[in-house]
Amino acid sequence: MAEWEYIITNYSYMGLFFILILGIVGLPIPDEVLLTFVGYYIFLEKMDFWPSIGCAIIGSIVGISISYLIGKYLGSAFLKKYGPKFFITEKKTDWVQAKFNNYGPLFLISGYFIPGIRHVTAYVAGMSTYNFGKFACFAYIGAVVWASTFIFLGHYLGGKWTEVEVFFSHTTKYVWGFIALIAISAIFIRLKKKRAYK
């Protein structure tokens, strides 16, 4: 975390913007901890709220769009060759593909909250030739919700923001996946019921 703290301290908003692009594309960066740290800096009045939110959201949107385009134009062969270097295994890709097939756009939103999965979801959407307009609609909503949630959390926790880092270090992606799937299922069932009443 120290290196990311150094970048935020010295490069502020632009540092946040570029780190999130790299993290969303697939580099092993603790994005949630980073965003919470930014919220903490806002609490300390070392950063301003709206520029921080804006840079975080735009960085996430650019990163997720790059992931989609890589998936669309370079395909599975590229992912199989270079994916393992970024901890993107074939098993993980297959898991995301199955969930994407079942839950579609809702998984683009909730996938942000599963560490190590959000960028894979975009790759899979691109490889599946999923319409970019639909992808952008749901993935960008996810970027807004995800980035805002953790920045708000860091601001709310104030001096206790480091507790988030401890929490994430002891919470596996499978726990987050389970939570996200429950949320997706609840939304999916609700939408289905609404359609049934129409």
Side-chain angles (χ1 to χ4, degrees), residues 1-9 12-24 28-42 47 52 55-56 59-60 118 146-147 150-155 161 164-165 168:
M1 184 62 200
E3 61 271 29
W4 311 122
E5 182 176 344
Y6 172 82
I7 292 173
I8 293 297
T9 302
S12 191
Y13 306 109
M14 290 306 295
L16 170 64
F17 174 75
F18 284 110
I19 290 174
L20 282 177
I21 291 176
L22 295 174
I24 296 293
I29 296 170
D31 298 313
E32 290 86 358
V33 178
L34 173 69
L35 289 168
T36 310
F37 178 74
V38 169
Y40 171 59
Y41 256 38
I42 295 170
M47 296 177 76
S52 299
C55 288
S60 302
R118 51 185 155 265
W146 175 71
F150 287 99
I151 288 177
F152 272 116
L153 181 62
H155 184 266
W161 78 273
V164 175
E165 185 174 10
F168 278 109

Side-chain angles (χ1 to χ4, degrees), residues 173-189:
K173 66 180 181 182
Y174 300 105
V175 174
W176 284 106
F178 180 70
I179 294 170
L181 285 176
I182 290 174
I184 292 172
S185 300
I187 295 169
F188 183 75
I189 292 168

